[in-house]
């Protein structure tokens, strides 16, 4: 029987022979302790470089799952202690030993279990520029992570080393609207936590604009927030060059009004805050400025009146002269022409600066200069005396004299009235004659009665400035009287 505890194998030498007259003392029994191997099984190994040790030595490289056995056998009864010298990498794994320590008990050790588990690492990084709410990140199209503020982040689910990761934006932030982008977001885990994923958020910018209507002039300049000048040349849509961050305020104003013609442009819907969309409802409505036509009347006699007209349409009656202005205004660049529709009594009014084109301002320099008209007709009374029916009297002369400051032309002299047929305009040197101040002309009238009684007629004198008349009275055989119609002058 071989010895145990420890297990040994004993061999005999000189153990057989024939007694030869003496004690046999040279039988040699030599015992050697049995040796046994230490090993077991590896499971879960994916990486490379796993090295096991037994009793801090006898290194054993393991490359794959399966059974293993250390090269060096150990004497029975000796202790063994299997440990991990080098953990596997690519992927990084952590291997643990069970049943790894004990004492050899007369048999090979085969139940050492080395179990390897792939290491897991987190994926994360940092967020910068975040102002809005609602940012949600994803890794590998899952593991949603809501981020509320700038700073570091890490997904909840760790990943096995060597697996891929891909960080994307599931939901962009709002209030304000922002666009976040990911850098260093994709890769393969390499034995460590990923901490360099960078999520950078930029507030979205939107344009401010609208439309212009009614623009005729040039030089219109709009501003937004007292800057970003924008020249507008025609009706239509517009948009400021500088976009604004979401939720920022805007205020569109008119920096320069258009000219030629002068216009006033008014902004509607010009103030507000960006609300995650371009602003396109700012309305700029332009209307042409209107100006008055006026001036001053000088030289008009007190109590007189004159009637003016502008552009042969609007009339204006003025008493006693002085400053005036037509009630109706006209759009800039409109033409105007002030004329005298009715002259004041025995005056002639001339216009200075009476026509032109509006040029961005009220017209105040129209001057109406009124000068006195004077006329004298002599004699004041003509008497023809008594004449028989069928007779004709001698001619009697009347004289027209310009006693005023205004030239006028005597255009016509005529007889009128029921008895005008009893009188004859026998000579006329006045009709068609221009009378300058102090000039005079004459005409002659005769009486040729056709019936008895007092005969009466009127002489009508027409000039380019006025119409005036005086009366001739006549009486058949009892005398005829010619009354001057200008006695009130």
């Amino acid at each position: 029987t071989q010895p145990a505890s420890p297990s040994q194998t004993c061999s005999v030498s000189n153990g057989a022979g024939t007694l030869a007259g003496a004690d046999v003392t040279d039988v040699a029994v030599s015992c050697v302790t049995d040796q046994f191997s230490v090993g077991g099984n590896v499971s879960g190994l994916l990486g490379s470089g796993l090295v096991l040790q037994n009793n801090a030595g006898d290194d054993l490289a393991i490359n794959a799952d399966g059974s293993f056995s250390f090269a060096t056998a150990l004497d029975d009864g000796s202790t063994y202690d299997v440990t991990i010298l080098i953990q596997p990498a690519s992927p990084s794994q952590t291997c643990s030993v069970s049943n790894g320590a004990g004492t050899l008990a007369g048999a090979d050790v085969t139940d050492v279990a080395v179990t390897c588990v792939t290491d897991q690492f987190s994926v994360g990084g940092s967020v910068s520029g975040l102002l809005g709410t609602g940012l949600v990140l994803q890794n590998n199209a899952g593991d949603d992570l809501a981020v509320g503020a700038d700073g570091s982040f890490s997904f909840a689910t760790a990943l096995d080393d060597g697996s891929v990761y891909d960080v994307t934006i599931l939901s962009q932030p709002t209030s304000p609207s922002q666009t976040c982008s990911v850098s260093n977001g994709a890769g393969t885990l390499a034995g460590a936590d990923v901490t360099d994923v960078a999520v950078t958020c930029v507030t979205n910018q939107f344009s401010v604009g609208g439309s212009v209507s009614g623009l005729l002039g040039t030089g219109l300049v709009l501003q937004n927030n007292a800057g970003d000048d924008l020249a507008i040349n025609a009706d239509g849509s517009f948009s400021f060059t500088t976009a604004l961050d979401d939720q920022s305020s805007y205020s569109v104003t008119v920096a320069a009004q258009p000219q030629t013609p002068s216009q006033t442009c008014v902004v509607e819907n010009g103030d507000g805050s960006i609300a995650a969309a371009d602003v396109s409802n700012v309305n700029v409505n332009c209307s042409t400025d209107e100006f008055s036509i006026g001036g001053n009347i000088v030289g008009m006699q007190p109590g007189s009146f004159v009637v003016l007209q502008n552009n042969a349409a609007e009339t204006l009656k003025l008493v006693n002269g002085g400053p005036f202005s037509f009630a109706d205004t006209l759009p800039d660049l409109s033409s105007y022409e002030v004329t005298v529709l009715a002259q004041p009594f025995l005056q002639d009014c001339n216009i200075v600066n009476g026509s032109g084109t509006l040029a961005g301002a009220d017209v105040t320099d129209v001057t109406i200069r009124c000068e006195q008209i004077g006329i004298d007709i002599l004699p004041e009374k003509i008497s023809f005396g008594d004449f028989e029916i069928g007779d004709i009297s001698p001619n009697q002369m009347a004289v027209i004299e310009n006693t005023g400051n205004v030239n006028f032309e005597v255009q016509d002299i005529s007889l009128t009235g029921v008895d005008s047929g009893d009188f004859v305009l026998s000579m006329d040197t006045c009709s068609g004659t221009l009378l300058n101040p102090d000039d005079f002309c004459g005409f002659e009238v005769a009486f040729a009665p056709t019936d008895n009684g007092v005969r009466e007629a009127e002489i009508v004198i027409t000039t380019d400035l006025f119409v005036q008349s005086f009366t001739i009275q006549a009486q058949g055989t009892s005398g005829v009287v010619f009354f001057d119609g200008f006695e009130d002058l």
Side-chain angles (χ1 to χ4, degrees):
T1 301
Q2 296 283 6
S5 300
S7 171
Q8 290 187 295
T9 298
C10 297
S11 60
V12 179
S13 61
N14 302 319
T18 301
L19 287 171
D23 292 332
V24 176
T25 59
D26 62 349
V27 175
V29 178
S30 299
C31 294
V32 178
T33 302
D34 295 333
Q35 289 187 322
F36 298 96
S37 63
V38 176
N41 189 68
V42 175
S43 62
L45 179 61
L46 298 175
S48 60
L50 173 62
V51 177
L52 304 179
Q53 281 190 331
N54 185 20
N55 294 330
D58 198 14
D59 294 1
L60 177 61
I62 305 295
N63 297 317
D65 281 353
S67 61
F68 70 90
S69 179
F70 285 96
T72 302
L74 299 179
D75 289 346
D76 186 37
S78 60
T79 61
Y80 61 92
D81 185 10
V82 178
T83 56
I84 308 296
L85 175 62
I86 300 174
Q87 296 283 8
S90 301
S92 171
Q93 291 190 287
T94 297
C95 298
S96 60
V97 179
S98 60
N99 302 320
T103 301
L104 287 170
D108 292 333
V109 174
T110 60
D111 64 346
V112 176
V114 178
T115 304
C116 297
V117 178
T118 301
D119 295 333
Q120 289 189 319
F121 299 97
S122 64
V123 175
S126 62
V127 174
S128 61
L130 179 60
L131 299 175
T133 59
L135 172 63
V136 178
L137 306 179
Q138 280 191 330
N139 185 20
N140 294 333
D143 197 17
D144 293 3
L145 176 63
V147 179
D150 281 354
S152 60
F153 70 91
S154 180
F155 286 96
T157 302
L159 300 179
D160 289 347
D161 188 37
S163 59
V164 296
Y165 61 93
D166 185 10
V167 178
T168 55
I169 307 294
L170 174 63
S171 176
Q172 297 283 6
T174 60
S175 301
S177 170
Q178 292 190 287
T179 297
C180 300
S181 58
V182 180
S183 59
N184 302 324
T188 302
L189 287 169
D193 291 334
V194 174
T195 60
D196 63 347
V197 177
V199 178
T200 304
C201 298
V202 177
T203 301
N204 294 328
Q205 291 188 320
F206 299 94
S207 63
V208 175
S211 62
V212 174
S213 62
L215 180 61
L216 299 174
T218 59
L220 172 63
V221 178
L222 304 180
Q223 284 188 330
N224 185 21
N225 294 332
D228 198 16
D229 291 7
L230 178 63
I232 305 293
N233 298 316
D235 281 354
S237 61
F238 70 89
S239 181
F240 285 95
T241 302
T242 303
L244 300 180
D245 289 347
D246 187 35
Q247 293 193 333
S248 60
S249 61
Y250 60 91
S251 179
V252 178
T253 55
V254 176
Q257 297 284 5
Q259 302 297 320
T260 319
S262 171
Q263 292 191 287
T264 297
C265 298
V266 178
V267 179
E268 296 178 350
N269 303 321
D271 297 305
S273 297
I274 302 292
D278 292 334
V279 175
S280 59
N281 67 335
V282 178
N283 297 322
V284 180
N285 301 315
C286 299
S287 59
T288 301
D289 297 332
E290 294 195 349
F291 300 97
S292 62
I293 309 297
N296 194 47
I297 298 179
V298 295
M300 196 165 75
Q301 292 295 321
S304 298
F305 70 86
V306 64
V307 178
L308 304 180
Q309 198 170 45
N310 185 25
N311 290 336
E314 183 187 5
T315 58
L316 177 63
K317 181 178 179 180
L318 299 170
V319 178
N320 296 331
F324 71 91
S325 180
F326 284 92
D328 294 342
T329 56
L330 299 178
D332 191 33
L333 295 188
S334 299
S335 60
Y336 62 92
E337 184 177 9
V338 179
T339 54
V340 177
L341 182 63
Q343 296 279 7
F345 183 65
L346 289 182
Q347 285 194 290
D348 180 50
C349 298
N350 297 308
I351 299 176
V352 180
N353 301 323
S355 62
T357 301
L358 286 169
D362 293 332
V363 174
T364 59
D365 63 347
V366 178
T367 301
I368 313 295
R369 298 185 182 278
C370 297
E371 296 183 319
Q372 189 67 33
I373 298 173
I375 186 170
D376 193 11
I377 299 177
L378 298 173
E380 294 182 356
K381 181 183 294 185
I382 298 177
S383 297
F384 285 96
D386 298 336
F387 290 89
E388 297 294 332
I389 294 174
D391 291 343
I392 186 168
S393 72
N395 292 336
Q396 294 204 36
M397 178 175 284
V399 175
I400 301 174
E401 183 180 4
N402 186 346
T403 60
N405 300 319
V406 181
N407 299 340
F408 64 85
E409 179 184 350
V410 179
Q411 294 178 326
D412 182 62
I413 299 175
S414 60
L415 293 165
T416 185
V418 177
D419 302 328
S420 61
D422 293 304
F423 299 90
V424 178
L425 186 63
S426 59
M427 191 272 292
D428 178 9
T429 64
C430 288
S431 295
T433 300
L434 177 66
L435 295 182
N436 297 317
D438 298 327
D439 287 352
F440 61 89
C441 64
F443 63 92
E444 294 182 354
V445 181
F447 175 45
T450 60
D451 199 357
N452 290 323
V454 176
R455 316 305 290 164
E456 186 176 85
E458 290 183 350
I459 294 176
V460 178
I461 299 171
T462 303
T463 74
D464 59 346
L465 299 180
F466 62 90
V467 176
Q468 189 59 276
S469 65
F470 59 88
T471 301
I472 299 173
Q473 290 183 337
Q475 183 177 5
T477 59
S478 61
V480 179
V481 181
F482 177 21
F483 290 97
D484 186 353
F486 293 96
E487 291 179 348
D488 292 334
L489 297 182

